[in-house]
Amino acid sequence: MNSLTLSLPLQLLSLSLLILSTSSSASPHKIPRLSVLHETIIRDQSYYNTIFSASASSEHLETFFYTQTLDHFNYKPESYATFQQRYVINSKYWGGANENAPIFVYLGAEAAIDGDISIIGFLPDNAPHFKALQVYIEHRFYGQSIPFTSMEEAVKNESTRGYFNSAQAIADYAEVIIYLKQKLSARYSPVIVVGGSYGGMLASWFRLKYPHIALGALASSAPILYFDDITPENGFYSIVTKDFKEVSETCYETIRKSWAEIERVASNPLGLSILSQKFKTCSHLNNSQELKDYLIATYSNAAQYDEPPSYPVTLLCGGIDGANEGTDILGRIFAGLVAYTLNSTCYPVGENNIPSETEIGWRWQECSEMVFPIGRGINDTMFPPAPFNLTQYIMNCRSLYGVPPRPHWVTTYYGGHDIKLVLHRFASNIIFSNGLRDPYSSGGVLEDLSDTLLAVHTAKGSHCLDILTAKKTDPQWLIKQRKVEVKIIDGWIRKYYADLLALT
């Protein structure tokens, strides 16, 4: 058994949501990617110190590798190949198999599991109360759970990347959980699965597909309804707009007017040089769209991760509104950027850095099944129009991978249409938690679907905030949200024990 070393700051940054560009939703990798945490949080040193001191120390973490089946849904000889899938256990607070003590399982998403273990506080914060075993399982094709050599090589290979999808991933989790329960002689220990963002989607889908394995699921910030035509395509950017408008009407107006001003300056013979200097870009702008993409990504990140105590949207608008009297529109926009990024020496606008493992993997997932039709119409947000174009999206995916995406597969396999009517009939024990300042909440479940399919949301909450490590500075509304979730899970487990006693 190997002890896990907690991730370093740079490793944690790899978890960040990176909106590569948002000028056009045609390119599959230009859609805002899902992730539990964004790097703007890490710049707050007090928060950084808190999460690392509060998270489980490495001495209580043990790393294992399960010999996982490559293909759960085929019986060709090559389907029986295996790979080593990483999972991590913290048994510090577990009451043991003799007590049928619960098992909390965190479902890894589009990154190595290390960073999640460092920041996901819901498991270690509540394990003492429940006497729960904590288990963290890494998603196939990420971290140390890549079936073939490296992520880059695996995704390049036309045959191997076919095994890289959500259905295979949750089947992996099912195998690992069953194996663990057998290994620990914990047959009657109830399992609660937890996930955030894409991982939250996996948690809800896991409960739907494997109710015999997981008693319940906590799905944090899981936009399971942002597929097909269920959610309006401008849902994401409409909430970004609402967040800024609520903080400051003048800030919102300045941003809305800035796009035309950028184009006006760029149209001059030396316009791109002027913009490059004004916005301190690390390299010379090739076109005005690069700057607009960067700003759109910045505003979207600020809204998605508008967490206390820093509240990035307030920081950004404070810079825009607080610029010296007489400052022009673009000067105010830059002042907001400085306030948000703590005055960087330069800004990497339009730069194409070497993609991370997460970016490589998520690009393929977007080009296979995770097709979020996110776009913007004319004058329906504070941003320039960029309608979602499925035809162009498919063409781009074909050029990248030689195959088209399956934009309707998620709703075919997991459901989504008429969700209240459908899930009310057969589903149970799922918490859909959301913060309404999170743009992805537009695709989340925001109302109770039944007595056991429950929506827990907060007006001021942001992306996955409820499952991050609790801090002394947390506002009361966040503390209350977490208490409500714990109470619901407590009820599920109590009922399970009562049923177990009655049946055995």
Side-chain angles (χ1 to χ4, degrees), residues 197-198 200-201 204 219-225 432-434 440 443-445 463:
S197 202
Y198 165 55
M201 296 160 69
S204 65
S220 177
S221 297
I224 61 170
L225 303 182
F432 297 100
S433 66
N434 282 279
Y440 270 117
V445 177
H463 199 64

Side-chain angles (χ1 to χ4, degrees), residues 72-90:
H72 300 283
F73 306 107
N74 203 302
Y75 293 90
K76 293 181 179 179
E78 59 267 29
S79 301
Y80 287 85
T82 60
F83 68 97
Q84 295 302 297
Q85 183 168 20
R86 181 167 56 149
Y87 65 95
V88 178
I89 291 179
N90 183 344

Side-chain angles (χ1 to χ4, degrees), residues 164-350:
F164 187 1
N165 59 67
S166 62
Q168 297 280 10
I170 62 174
D172 290 343
Y173 299 146
E175 271 208 25
V176 173
I177 292 170
I178 289 173
Y179 163 78
L180 264 180
K181 292 186 75 173
Q182 291 174 342
K183 179 182 177 182
L184 299 171
S185 301
R187 178 181 179 184
Y188 295 112
S189 289
V191 172
I192 304 295
V193 293
V194 179
S197 202
Y198 165 55
M201 296 160 69
L202 296 177
S204 65
W205 294 336
F206 188 91
R207 170 62 185 165
L208 295 177
K209 293 295 186 181
Y210 299 96
H212 55 292
I213 297 177
L215 172 66
L218 170 56
S220 177
S221 297
I224 61 170
L225 303 182
Y226 221 135
F227 295 95
D228 283 350
D229 58 351
I230 302 172
T231 296
E233 69 173 63
N234 69 350
F236 183 95
Y237 290 106
S238 293
I239 291 186
V240 178
T241 300
K242 176 182 70 70
D243 290 350
F244 277 82
K245 198 170 185 179
E246 286 178 354
V247 167
S248 168
E249 187 84 27
T250 55
C251 173
Y252 152 78
E253 285 291 346
T254 301
I255 293 172
R256 190 176 64 82
K257 294 175 181 176
S258 68
W259 314 114
E261 185 64 12
I262 289 172
E263 286 304 316
R264 187 191 68 78
V265 174
S267 65
N268 296 326
L270 298 177
L272 292 179
S273 295
I274 294 170
L275 290 173
S276 297
Q277 292 174 10
K278 185 177 280 286
F279 284 90
K280 292 173 63 176
T281 61
C282 298
S283 56
H284 191 273
L285 288 171
N286 295 305
N287 54 66
S288 61
Q289 195 61 57
E290 290 179 343
L291 177 59
K292 290 193 289 186
D293 290 345
Y294 184 81
L295 291 172
I296 292 169
T298 299
Y299 302 143
S300 300
N301 289 340
Q304 187 165 347
Y305 301 95
D306 193 38
E307 71 292 320
S310 59
Y311 291 108
V313 173
T314 302
L315 271 178
L316 217 157
C317 279
I320 290 175
D321 292 341
N324 293 332
E325 189 175 349
T327 304
D328 63 13
I329 287 178
L330 296 188
R332 291 183 179 277
I333 294 296
F334 181 67
L337 196 61
V338 170
Y340 177 66
T341 59
L342 302 183
N343 199 14
S344 299
T345 54
C346 71
Y347 296 89
V349 181

